[in-house]
Amino acid sequence: MIDPVLPALACPHCDGPLTRTDGTLGCPQGHRFDLARQGYVSLLGRRSRTDTGDSAEMVTARDAFLAAGHYRPTADAVTALCPADAQVLLEVGAGTGWYLAAVLAARPGAVGIALDASVRAARRAASASPAIGSVVADAWSRLPVADGAVDVALSIFAPRDAAELSRVLRPDGRLIVVTPAPAHLAELIGPLGMLTVDAGKDAKLAASLAGEFVADGSTDVRSPLRLDRDDLRRLVLMGPSARHVDRESLDRTLAAGPDVTVATLAVTVSRWRRR
Ligand SMILES: C[S@@+](CC[C@H](N)C(=O)[O-])C[C@H]1O[C@@H](n2cnc3c(N)ncnc32)[C@H](O)[C@@H]1O
Ligand SMILES: [Zn+2]
């Protein structure tokens, strides 16, 4: 529902506050944004880009994979690092809203903005939880979010602009970031032709946040995954590998493989506070 998060949103053209009249959001300067029938709103500025947003196929695959619960340990670690008094959350690159809904389920009364460049993802996130307001926006340009309006920002396998996240967080707000560790899905990368995890990721993350944030704790999540062929297919098609993997050869590889494949979930959940 968009209403509970409206006070935290801002007009993408003039930064003004947004109010709702029937199915339209508007700012005092007269900029108008229609609420989609499915419950999300597009708050794209003139420089916003949406071409890196996930396709319908990727969103469908992600939705089914996450619903099977394989990444539950990651969601639990994010929830554990999220301060108990957080009232307004923002997830950039929120995808289907699965993680945000999981955190909100453990924080009754809190609300969350799910922000994503993909209309398909935003449509799905709008129905992930009644506490979610779903917004189509570009995480690499100015966020349509008011200064200091957010208690906790999440970036889970997603783009993050340190300066913008710092701007929208309240002074003692927290940023929680999930990044893959080198062992993440390592068993699958060769056989399934998935993209490899960049081993220098942690150092790059710290460098990209260092100007605005200070490290404030982290959890390494390690868990075995038991994946059947449907899980594997979804895993490949929900991520960046979907853009280059040949579907027929993927299906041949899966058919020739075992009924169940064991792989490793290995991610780092890090928490950061504003400088
Ligand atoms: C790997 S998915 C992660 C989704 C979700 N956080 C999860 O873990 O299930 C990356 C997400 O970032 C979104 N995305 C890509 N470029 C973006 C941009 N410039 N602004 C906002 N979202 C973007 C994609 O549409 C996709 O939903
Ligand atoms: Zn405006």
Side-chain angles (χ1 to χ4, degrees), residues 227-229 232 253-262:
L227 304 169
D228 66 19
R229 291 189 182 88
L232 289 175
T253 306
L254 292 175
D259 289 345
V260 174
T261 301
V262 178

Side-chain angles (χ1 to χ4, degrees), residues 40-42 44 49-60 62 92-97 114-126 134-139 159 238 243:
Y40 66 88
V41 64
S42 286
L44 296 167
R49 294 184 53 175
T50 56
D51 50 317
T52 53
D54 281 5
S55 66
E57 181 191 36
M58 291 162 83
V59 172
T60 302
R62 178 173 299 279
V92 288
T96 62
L115 185 152
D116 203 284
S118 159
V119 167
R120 291 303 188 124
R123 202 183 274 181
R124 181 67 193 90
S134 179
V135 172
V136 177
D138 175 11
M238 74 188 214
R243 300 189 200 275

